[in-house]
Amino acid sequence: MHPRVLEVTERLVERSRKTRERYLAMMAAAASEGPQRGGLQCANFAHGVAGCNSTQDKQSLRLMNAANVAIVSAYNDMLSAHQPYEHFPEMIRQALREIGSVGQFAGGVPAMCDGVTQGEAGMEMSLASREVIAMSTAVALSHNMFDAALMLGICDKIVPGLMIGALRFGHLPTIFVPGGPMPSGIPNKEKAAVRQRYAEGKASREELLESEMKSYHSPGTCTFYGTANTNQVVMEIMGLHLPGSSFVNPYTPLRDALTREAAQQVTRLTHQAGNYTPLCQVVDEKSIVNSVVALNATGGSTNHTLHIPAFARAAGIQLTWQDMADLSEVVPTLAKVYPNGQADVNHFHACGGVPFMVRTLLDAGLLHEDVHTVVGKGLRRYIQEPFLDGDKLVWRDGPAQSLDETILRPAERPFSPEGGLRVLEGNLGRGVTKISAVAPEHRVVEAPARVFIDQSELAAAFKAGELERDFIAVVRFQGPKANGMPELHKLTPFLGVLQDRGYKVALVTDGRMSGASGKVPAAIHVCPEALDGGPLALVRDGDIIRVDGETGELRALVDPAEWATRQPAIRPEDMGIGCGRELFAFMRASFSTAEQGASAFTESLEALK
């Protein structure tokens, strides 16, 4: 093992010792030697089985040697990624009946599409939806009828929310069931070019719409490497998916076979099967470190600097940004998938995908091999990929070499010797940046500040021709407490155009960028946020700011005496109102800092110490 990986793991274990011990004790107390439904009162049990459509299922649930599997789904038609889930529950139930077990749809969780809500008021509910999903998962599993669980979710806040909720029922064996990406549409380079031309007024809205619909064109996950697809890589490398299952397209025989196998495999992890492997055993300090290694090796979404610490805490594990950045220094960048390259996830999967990446990272000593997974002990099982042999699902070793080194490379020939995730720190606070898609000549920017309250102000200034110069956009009051920390995805085309015109530009914000953000340097998730007394509230137009992605400096070059006398700006009163946003005010007030996961649960989970 690489000494840095061991060092980070050891300090994570030590830092988390008390909270992890308390968490595992809670899970042990919640577990039972036999089916939990066996301890229910007769009336409770009768309620629990009354909705079963199959007499066979009711009879099976009366027999304590059958496993009852909870199905928790984020299905809706608004998310192309989740549309295929409409058909999964019955497929799962039938697969379970074939082996004498039962599946019950335990509950649905909300799932909003960030692609639909980007730049709209609804995006301010996006991060908060993660907490709602976690609570909805807990409600679904609260019936105490289940021996195992299947989590059906893919996209941005949905997988982390399912994880947080499922980990509070970590005594249950649990498998995450992906749905797969849509087939490839138009090339990502072409899509990005149309967006930039539209931002400059050189393409019509009809041209833009046609381009977007050719890109997002069918059921399945969007094919760029944003937060949704980063979720899939993270779940697979943590051993929570079946091996090689993340990027098999929906509505294919192989996808359906994998779904049926996930249903049957989770029953093999129950007490009844004699191979009890609960979720709390699979998710430990080593698997959390593996998830961060995967994030860095693929240039994954910056949203995971919020999500991985948040769900790690749900398992009693105290992960920090510094842990993530220290791993990034030694984990090479192995993948170039849009926005870090021109390929999409279908191309990534075809040239070797997750199985090849696991192989090369294991061989380089950068992943913990001795972990529990949903298919047994040891991560080496995940170098295999699934195939159909007639009607039978089989696994074979994946490729030992990448089939296209412009997309995916071995650890000994990386695109970069590091992962590109950096912690930025200075008198403006503490944030993160991802430099894997930023050209070396753009990684250090020192320029006057231009302060904005939101994306629309910057867009208006761009269209008015006010930004034709070097500047650093400071977009504040976008943190979790201020307005729910929406993604600022609409900034990308404008800043990208200005960078292409030769100006030095960067972004500094207490908000988030999309998982699809790329070539423009950005200091994001800056905390303390402006609403919480953070120094971004002190910045004025014209202040010289330095964003240094190489050294990690984030600083306003203002005389300290003047800086000390400044009064903070005040947040506009009308923020967070309308489109249902006011319903989340109580949650925003309880959000932790971004480094603690921007979570409403941090305080209650910290009580485990």
Side-chain angles (χ1 to χ4, degrees):
M1 288 294 297
H2 193 288
R4 177 66 63 81
V5 177
L6 289 175
E7 174 197 337
V8 172
T9 305
E10 288 164 5
R11 76 186 186 210
L12 183 59
V13 169
E14 185 56 37
R15 185 189 308 124
S16 308
R17 192 172 301 281
K18 290 184 179 179
T19 49
R20 181 66 177 169
E21 287 176 355
R22 175 62 178 144
Y23 171 74
L24 291 175
M26 289 173 62
M27 296 305 103
S32 61
E33 291 303 317
Q36 300 215 348
R37 65 186 181 278
L40 292 178
Q41 297 294 323
C42 292
N44 300 61
F45 179 84
H47 275 284
V49 302
C52 291
N53 290 325
S54 165
T55 302
Q56 176 187 341
D57 287 354
K58 288 186 177 182
Q59 185 59 30
S60 294
L61 288 175
R62 295 182 69 174
L63 304 173
M64 293 300 123
N65 62 343
N68 189 24
V69 178
I71 304 167
V72 180
S73 177
Y75 161 72
N76 68 43
D77 286 338
M78 288 304 303
L79 286 84
S80 61
H82 290 198
Q83 190 276 341
Y85 284 146
E86 179 179 9
H87 310 288
F88 278 33
E90 189 51 43
M91 195 186 309
I92 289 167
R93 291 188 194 101
Q94 186 55 42
L96 290 168
R97 288 184 192 118
E98 291 170 6
I99 58 170
S101 291
V102 178
Q104 286 190 293
F105 193 94
V109 303
M112 64 182 291
C113 180
D114 287 6
V116 174
T117 57
Q118 285 288 354
E120 303 293 330
M123 174 50 73
E124 295 183 14
M125 296 184 245
S126 178
L127 185 59
S129 76
R130 183 189 66 187
E131 320 301 91
V132 177
I133 291 162
M135 292 187 288
S136 300
T137 303
V139 170
L141 297 176
S142 68
H143 296 98
N144 225 23
M145 284 280 294
F146 308 113
D147 307 296
L150 295 173
M151 298 289 141
L152 278 56
I154 293 173
C155 288
D156 297 18
K157 267 56 67 186
I158 298 149
V159 166
L162 290 169
M163 275 283 283
I164 293 168
L167 281 165
R168 307 315 295 170
F169 291 79
H171 59 286
L172 296 176
T174 301
I175 293 179
F176 281 69
V177 184
M182 68 178 68
S184 300
I186 64 170
N188 287 305
K189 187 175 183 179
E190 182 180 332
K191 175 183 70 176
V194 175
R195 285 180 175 177
Q196 286 212 171
R197 288 197 299 113
Y198 180 75
E200 295 176 273
K202 296 177 180 178
S204 68
R205 186 174 181 84
E206 288 74 19
E207 289 175 284
L208 177 66
L209 180 58
E210 183 178 1
S211 169
E212 297 293 339
M213 292 190 74
K214 286 179 178 177
S215 179
Y216 308 112
H217 60 91
S218 71
T221 313
C222 305
T223 58
F224 64 86
Y225 194 55
T227 310
N229 286 315
T230 305
N231 281 338
Q232 303 316 293
V233 171
V234 165
M235 291 296 101
E236 188 164 334
I237 282 190
M238 289 183 72
L240 292 168
H241 281 177
L242 295 183
S245 65
S246 292
F247 299 125
V248 175
N249 300 120
Y251 294 107
T252 61
L254 180 56
R255 176 85 273 160
D256 291 348
L258 286 164
T259 300
R260 291 192 296 269
E261 178 63 17
Q264 295 182 354
Q265 177 61 23
V266 81
T267 69
R268 300 176 190 125
L269 308 178
T270 62
H271 278 298
Q272 294 95 308
N275 186 34
Y276 180 54
T277 309
L279 179 62
C280 64
Q281 193 175 76
V282 176
V283 179
D284 64 5
E285 294 90 342
K286 289 181 178 179
S287 70
I288 290 292
V289 167
N290 283 353
S291 76
V292 178
V293 170
L295 175 69
N296 281 302
T298 56
S301 169
T302 52
N303 282 326
H304 284 80
T305 62
L306 304 174
H307 297 324
I308 298 177
F311 67 64
R313 273 181 158 77
I317 299 169
Q318 308 290 320
L319 182 73
T320 69
W321 279 351
Q322 196 59 57
D323 295 330
M324 302 177 82
D326 287 349
L327 288 169
S328 179
E329 288 183 359
V330 301
V331 175
T333 300
L334 305 183
K336 285 286 187 183
V337 185
Y338 187 82
N340 302 333
Q342 296 309 317
D344 69 20
V345 294
N346 290 311
H347 306 139
F348 168 79
H349 181 66
C351 71
V354 177
F356 172 77
M357 196 175 68
V358 171
R359 180 194 293 268
T360 192
L361 289 170
L362 281 173
D363 291 347
L366 292 166
L367 287 174
H368 290 286
E369 186 172 351
D370 57 334
V371 292
H372 292 278
T373 78
V374 297
V375 292
K377 186 71 182 290
L379 194 60
R380 185 68 62 172
R381 177 74 168 78
Y382 282 75
I383 71 170
Q384 295 188 313
E385 56 186 5
F387 295 91
L388 287 176
D389 183 359
D391 293 331
K392 184 180 180 183
L393 180 64
V394 298
W395 271 266
R396 304 171 189 148
D397 282 354
Q401 304 295 329
S402 170
L403 301 183
D404 187 342
E405 290 198 9
T406 68
I407 299 171
L408 181 61
R409 291 187 180 178
E412 61 269 22
R413 290 190 301 278
F415 291 102
S416 168
E418 61 158 324
L421 180 67
R422 301 279 174 83
V423 174
L424 298 174
E425 198 163 13
N427 65 355
L428 288 178
R430 184 174 166 89
V432 295
T433 189
K434 184 178 81 170
I435 62 170
S436 54
V438 179
E441 64 269 23
H442 297 309
R443 291 177 182 175
V444 180
V445 179
E446 187 175 303
R450 177 70 189 268
V451 180
F452 302 96
I453 295 298
D454 57 27
Q455 298 179 92
S456 61
E457 278 196 350
L458 187 146
F462 175 88
K463 291 170 183 176
E466 298 172 6
L467 303 181
E468 301 288 329
R469 56 187 174 85
D470 297 348
F471 74 101
I472 292 179
V474 176
V475 185
R476 62 193 180 197
F477 297 114
Q478 300 295 308
K481 288 187 177 180
N483 66 345
M485 208 180 190
E487 288 183 343
L488 305 178
H489 183 53
K490 280 196 169 182
L491 299 177
T492 302
F494 302 116
L495 296 176
V497 166
L498 294 166
Q499 182 174 275
D500 289 349
R501 290 177 181 171
Y503 299 112
K504 291 183 177 295
V505 295
L507 171 69
V508 176
T509 181
D510 47 10
R512 296 186 291 136
M513 283 297 284
S514 167
S517 59
K519 66 183 184 180
V520 176
I524 60 175
H525 306 177
V526 175
C527 53
E529 63 176 285
L531 186 67
D532 239 4
L536 288 189
L538 302 178
V539 177
R540 296 177 182 171
D541 282 344
D543 288 345
I544 303 300
I545 289 179
R546 183 174 178 84
V547 178
D548 191 331
E550 300 290 356
T551 65
E553 184 179 13
L554 177 62
R555 186 170 300 279
L557 305 181
V558 177
D559 179 77
E562 180 190 344
W563 190 253
T565 63
R566 287 190 179 177
Q567 294 299 307
I570 305 300
R571 182 188 71 157
E573 292 184 1
D574 60 350
M575 291 182 75
I577 298 173
C579 195
R581 288 173 286 175
E582 57 276 7
L583 300 177
F584 292 83
F586 78 97
M587 188 176 289
R588 291 196 298 269
S590 63
F591 273 140
S592 66
T593 66
E595 185 160 11
Q596 293 177 310
S599 174
F601 305 134
T602 297
E603 186 174 334
S604 57
L605 294 179
E606 288 295 313
L608 294 173
K609 286 184 177 178

